[in-house]
Amino acid sequence: MKLRVLLVTESFLPSMNGVTNSVVKVLETYRKLGVEALVVAPKSAGTPSEFLGFQVIQARSLPFMQFPVAIPGFFLGPLMQSFEPDVVHVASPFMLGAQALMVAEQLGIPSVAIYQTDLAGYTDRYGLKFAKQTVDRMVAGIHSLATINLAPTPDAETYLKQLGVQNVSGWGRGVDIDRYHPKRRELATTNLLRDEFCGEADIVVGYVGRLAPEKRVDRFAELFGISPRVKFLLVGDGPERTSLETHFAGQPVHFTGTLHGESLADAYAAIDVFVHFGTEETFGQTIQEAQATGLAVVAPIQGGPRFLVETEVSGLLVDAHKANSYQAAVTRLVADAELRARLGEGARRAVLRKSWDENNLKLVRQYRQAIEMRRERLVRELESV
């Protein structure tokens, strides 16, 4: 009997971020395993009505900070009743996801909720600390509706459990270890990219991800002047793109904009030292992709990165709040090619057992566990009548 899944996501194509990327990878796994699925996602310009053979139902949405935020509607109940899923998968639940979990509970359908966005962390960044308790209660209320909750790191698991959320387990993110590979440095396309902005003897310090306030890409200014051989590559787009280009004018910084597929993999391979300044990462997927490419990584000891990088083995973790900590770490790597090579090899080894196939098989096992838990609950309820 084929597994039937209703996948409800708060983010989908064409928006590219951690939530969308993981949803796409989950759908690729569905196709390989023969899972029958229906996708519900926010409606926006460019959102496909079908992806990998799976129908995409587009929910009405409103724009918020460059993202379409789906609005709950009455369609979810009839949709679940007609599709009859074995399980409801909700990615990074907010308003639409919360409604999906509520309807699934009312209909007796098991659900799995994926915690991916640190909403409480946003309150600190935007000076809204007074709202943190409200956000915490909202997160607890949403995730308490799910049969099983999956969190990407031990810190995230602890956070949900401290809020009183039950049935919390760990589920990280996979990485494409074939596409992101050290051998890509030898490709002509990678070398052509490097030739656009640096010389053969230069060292490229780079970043891949959204150019948004929480990523703190502006802190690359701390690294300017380390060495005349250092050039900077910033891959991605976002609300800070224009201001960063202005702020970094006159510096050896090359912006590529958003890249996908092979071009994105080439960009990773064009980098020698990967730097991430964001301290609010729930996970840190681009760090894993950099590791798969065999890059020496510098990342904060705060948040998700500390569960991905073993300092002095697969990268360097630094205290983002300590003055000159990043500058010292990057200076050290720029000056020591052997250290870059050793940490790059350690980074690659760290992700070799984290393919998306292996990662998502764990997810399917969680689906089956949620189905069994819901069945056992139904038996108990019938016995108590």
Side-chain angles (χ1 to χ4, degrees):
M1 179 179 176
K2 285 187 176 181
L3 190 66
R4 293 171 65 84
V5 182
L6 179 67
L7 194 159
V8 180
T9 178
E10 301 286 358
S11 178
F12 197 56
L13 300 169
S15 298
M16 278 307 298
N17 50 53
V19 175
T20 299
N21 185 58
S22 65
V23 166
V24 167
K25 293 301 181 181
V26 166
L27 291 173
E28 289 176 356
T29 297
Y30 288 174
R31 186 172 63 171
K32 288 180 181 179
L33 298 180
V35 173
E36 295 181 13
L38 186 62
V39 181
V40 179
K43 181 178 182 179
S44 68
T47 300
S49 58
E50 179 271 342
F51 183 73
L52 296 178
F54 301 108
Q55 184 183 359
V56 179
I57 305 296
Q58 298 182 25
R60 289 188 306 126
S61 66
L62 294 173
F64 177 72
M65 295 179 65
Q66 293 195 338
F67 286 104
V69 176
I71 303 170
F74 293 110
F75 70 95
L76 274 176
L79 182 65
M80 286 191 200
Q81 288 176 315
S82 63
F83 184 63
E84 297 183 334
D86 298 305
V87 65
V88 175
H89 170 128
V90 183
S92 194
F94 188 43
M95 291 194 295
L96 179 66
Q99 185 191 24
L101 291 171
M102 187 178 302
V103 173
E105 172 66 16
Q106 291 170 348
L107 296 176
I109 302 171
S111 58
V112 174
I114 314 299
Y115 176 77
Q116 285 180 262
T117 305
D118 181 14
L119 295 175
Y122 288 1
T123 61
D124 289 338
R125 185 184 340 116
Y126 293 110
L128 301 171
K129 290 185 178 181
F130 63 89
K132 185 178 185 303
Q133 288 186 344
T134 300
V135 172
D136 284 344
R137 285 195 296 270
M138 180 188 72
V139 171
I142 291 173
H143 282 274
S144 293
L145 294 167
T147 309
I148 288 178
N149 291 279
L150 300 179
T153 66
D155 276 357
E157 287 185 59
T158 298
Y159 169 69
L160 290 178
K161 290 175 181 177
Q162 287 177 340
L163 294 181
V165 177
Q166 303 296 312
N167 300 320
V168 180
S169 297
W171 181 63
R173 303 292 174 268
V175 62
D176 190 335
I177 58 177
D178 295 321
R179 170 170 285 174
Y180 303 108
H181 197 288
K183 288 185 177 180
R184 190 170 283 270
R185 291 182 67 88
E186 303 168 6
L187 297 182
T189 48
T190 298
N191 287 308
L192 281 173
L193 174 59
R194 284 180 65 100
D195 289 344
E196 290 181 22
F197 66 95
C198 72
E200 187 175 344
D202 287 333
I203 296 171
V204 178
V205 176
Y207 161 83
V208 178
R210 269 177 50 78
L211 304 183
E214 67 271 16
K215 306 299 183 180
R216 297 305 314 271
V217 182
D218 60 299
R219 291 191 62 181
F220 269 87
E222 299 171 19
L223 308 179
F224 295 160
I226 283 179
S227 166
R229 293 175 56 207
V230 173
K231 302 298 186 291
F232 298 88
L233 180 64
L234 301 182
V235 181
D237 213 333
E240 288 209 318
R241 168 78 178 269
T242 301
S243 63
L244 287 170
E245 288 180 328
T246 301
H247 186 47
F248 294 164
Q251 297 296 337
V253 181
H254 181 72
F255 291 83
T256 69
T258 301
L259 297 178
H260 301 290
E262 302 302 308
S263 296
L264 176 59
D266 287 344
Y268 274 109
I271 296 170
D272 297 296
V273 178
F274 184 89
V275 179
H276 201 305
F277 284 98
T279 59
E280 300 172 18
E281 294 297 294
T282 310
F283 187 69
Q285 180 63 13
T286 61
I287 290 174
Q288 282 201 147
E289 291 168 351
Q291 290 177 313
T293 311
L295 306 185
V297 174
V298 180
I301 200 168
Q302 293 84 9
R306 72 189 184 94
F307 298 104
L308 301 177
V309 177
E310 183 180 357
T311 198
E312 301 291 345
V313 176
S314 58
L316 298 177
L317 290 174
V318 299
D319 184 346
H321 305 299
K322 183 179 179 181
N324 302 318
S325 60
Y326 273 94
Q327 187 181 76
V330 174
T331 299
R332 182 182 167 200
L333 287 168
V334 167
D336 193 337
E338 290 186 4
L339 178 62
R340 292 199 305 273
R342 178 173 64 81
L343 294 181
E345 290 174 5
R348 175 71 181 174
R349 286 195 298 270
V351 298
L352 284 178
R353 302 184 69 177
K354 294 183 178 181
S355 71
W356 277 109
D357 284 342
E358 287 193 34
N359 186 75
N360 290 347
L361 285 176
K362 298 175 185 176
L363 175 65
V364 173
R365 287 195 288 271
Q366 293 286 356
Y367 288 166
R368 300 206 179 278
Q369 183 177 345
I371 293 168
E372 181 61 21
M373 289 173 63
R374 193 67 183 81
R375 187 192 67 80
E376 291 176 352
R377 175 180 163 185
L378 178 61
V379 169
R380 289 196 300 272
E381 290 174 349
L382 291 173
E383 289 177 343
S384 66
V385 173

